Amino acid sequence: MTDPRRTIPRTDTLLAEPRIAAAVRTLGRGLVKAAVVAAQERARGGEIPPDAVAEAVLAALPVAVSSLRPVVNATGVVVHTNLGRAPLSPAALEAVVAAGGATDVEFDLATGTRAERGRGALTALAAAVPGAAGVHVVNNNAAALLLCALALAPGQEIVVSRGELVEIGDGFRIPDLLASTGARLREVGTTNRTHVADYTAAIGPDTGFVLKVHPSNYRVTGFTAEAGVAELTGLGVPLVVDIGSGLLTPHPALPGEPDAAGTLAAGADLVTASGDKLLGGPQAGLLLGDATLVARLRRHPAARALRVDKLTLAALEATLLGPEPPVRAALAAREDTLFLRAEALSTALAAEGIDARAVRSTAAAGGGGAPGVELPSAAVSLPAWYAEPLRRGDPAVVGRVERDRCLLDLRTVRPADDPVIDGAVRRCG
Ligand SMILES: *Cc1c(COP(=O)(O)O)cnc(C)c1O
């Protein structure tokens, strides 16, 4: 009797199997070959029969080359840090795909010579905030602050209120970031109250700049006092304001949230912000303000280490010029429209015998800003056990569990994804 292991298909034969050959084209030979070898190994060990090897290879292959899985954000947190913050608009995604090949990011196609890197994105940013004479874009807001400290306060002091020594998340602390450059932090005032006089008393020949930081993830209430941007101008040193969220102009749904245009109009010399929070674009650090200061930042040697790639520049330009990105749409969605969507989904699911109901819910802007601002919303409420299979599905749907119910909050879900949610819930049953 022949040993069945001798009939295990050869590597060449398996790689020629049409479905496996197709996988080689999308996933690459390395990944597929490793799956082939592993499946042959299982057959040799008697774990699977030789005629099941091809199926075993296909079952073991990843869905895509990237391990990052697409997620439908049904948490009700508009800017969800753990879900990659702002989802890009379709226009921004298209721009990323186009820029992914060779592109004229630093080249003038008319003259055939070198051109300013990312000029399209920079022009769009300057046009969005006419009050900014100079603009620059770096890797993220942390990089923007780092560059300010390196270029504007080398071996000097940065004057900052004790009420604004912010930890953003995952242990990231702005004071530590600034101190890592060798600049010294000159803390003024107290946790709850800081006055203009505290700043003026601290400013001297060693001062690099005054920094104001927007407490984007907490609020100080009660007996509080803060020196506003307008009060801190004309102190003889640059005033840098980290507004955090990246709102370029005021947003009606978020009245307390500072914006770049307003902060510059109030007298800030430089504003720093994130690109992937409430602006709704790619991860980026925006620097806007005084042309001379921005030129100093751009010329600093570290600017090269903090610069953004062509994909970011493409996505940022498309976010600034193109249609409303998902974050902005989520903020603008009307409560009654959201409830109608929740009702439509729940009714369809209930008709299948699923315990689904439309409920009122409260969404939030998230780590991106506007702490304490509640956004009225609507959700599909399901038994809590749905949360896990929904998370494990493809695409993953991430809701939140509240009082033993799994809520799929529709404020953070694009209407086009409602059928995706419908299908995902049915598959859990
Ligand atoms: C989010 C935030 C940062 C950090 O921004 P990144 O773009 O994540 O580096 C800095 N300052 C404030 C006030 C923030 O809200």
Side-chain angles (χ1 to χ4, degrees):
M1 207 177 92
T2 54
D3 184 345
R5 283 173 294 186
R6 298 190 54 182
T7 62
I8 293 170
R10 290 157 42 104
T11 305
D12 290 352
T13 314
L14 286 166
L15 288 173
E17 203 274 344
R19 288 170 303 164
I20 297 179
V24 170
R25 288 191 288 278
T26 54
L27 299 173
R29 200 177 165 84
L31 260 177
V32 178
K33 200 162 167 207
V36 164
V37 171
Q40 289 169 324
E41 206 51 49
R42 289 174 64 197
R44 261 181 227 113
E47 205 188 311
I48 51 171
D51 61 3
V53 172
E55 291 305 323
V57 171
L58 290 163
L61 287 175
V63 199
V65 247
S66 165
S67 65
L68 295 176
R69 307 257 41 87
V71 171
V72 175
N73 173 10
T75 61
V77 178
V78 176
V79 177
H80 198 298
T81 302
N82 303 143
L83 299 182
R85 289 195 183 160
L88 294 180
S89 69
L93 286 172
E94 252 174 56
V96 167
V97 171
T103 186
D104 61 343
V105 64
E106 228 175 279
F107 188 73
D108 185 335
L109 290 168
T111 60
T113 54
R114 193 184 178 287
E116 187 195 9
R117 183 181 172 83
R119 58 211 173 283
L122 294 173
T123 306
L125 184 57
V129 186
V135 293
H136 186 48
V137 180
V138 290
N139 180 56
N140 58 11
N141 194 8
L145 290 167
L146 195 75
L147 190 54
C148 287
L150 287 167
L152 308 180
Q156 289 181 294
E157 289 184 348
I158 299 169
V159 179
V160 62
S161 161
R162 290 197 171 87
E164 298 174 7
L165 299 172
V166 175
E167 175 171 317
I168 298 301
D170 198 24
F172 165 58
R173 295 178 165 174
I174 290 180
D176 296 351
L177 172 88
L178 297 169
S180 76
T181 66
R184 294 183 306 280
L185 281 197
R186 179 72 182 265
E187 299 174 15
V188 300
T190 62
T191 308
N192 57 329
R193 291 174 72 84
T194 305
H195 309 281
V196 179
D198 296 320
Y199 288 92
T200 47
I203 290 171
D206 267 357
T207 307
F209 60 91
V210 168
L211 176 67
K212 265 192 79 63
V213 181
H214 177 56
S216 47
N217 50 10
Y218 68 99
R219 273 198 306 195
V220 182
T221 57
F223 184 54
T224 63
E226 134 180 58
V229 171
E231 297 171 84
L232 295 177
T233 60
L235 300 184
V237 292
L239 172 61
V240 178
V241 182
D242 170 11
I243 61 166
S245 79
L247 281 188
L248 299 182
T249 50
H251 194 288
L254 310 169
E257 195 62 18
D259 63 282
T263 306
L264 289 172
D269 297 295
L270 272 181
V271 165
T272 80
S274 298
D276 55 350
K277 291 181 176 174
L278 298 178
L279 179 67
Q283 178 188 304
L286 314 180
L287 283 149
L288 306 110
D290 180 83
T292 313
L293 291 178
V294 171
R296 270 170 73 189
L297 300 178
R298 295 171 72 109
R299 275 199 310 271
H300 191 277
R304 173 65 185 229
L306 306 175
R307 83 174 189 183
V308 288
D309 76 340
K310 59 183 179 172
L311 305 182
T312 303
L313 290 164
L316 181 61
E317 184 176 2
T319 301
L320 290 164
L321 298 179
E324 183 179 60
V327 163
R328 311 285 295 196
L331 291 175
R334 290 170 48 113
E335 188 188 1
D336 48 359
T337 314
L338 295 173
F339 198 79
L340 287 176
R341 285 169 56 198
E343 276 185 331
L345 272 168
S346 304
T347 308
L349 292 169
E352 298 291 309
I354 296 169
D355 172 16
R357 314 167 207 157
V359 296
R360 306 255 166 218
S361 152
T362 303
V373 175
E374 296 186 341
L375 304 168
S377 188
V380 175
S381 165
L382 297 162
W385 66 262
Y386 273 90
E388 191 195 331
L390 283 171
R391 277 201 315 273
R392 290 176 179 274
D394 183 23
V397 174
V398 180
R400 63 175 198 274
V401 175
E402 245 176 53
R403 279 182 252 111
D404 244 12
R405 299 289 292 179
C406 170
L407 298 190
L408 303 180
D409 194 311
L410 296 182
R411 183 173 286 278
T412 50
V413 177
R414 296 179 311 156
D417 280 342
D418 284 1
V420 176
I421 295 219
D422 180 85
V425 174
R426 283 168 201 258
R427 279 194 297 277
C428 294

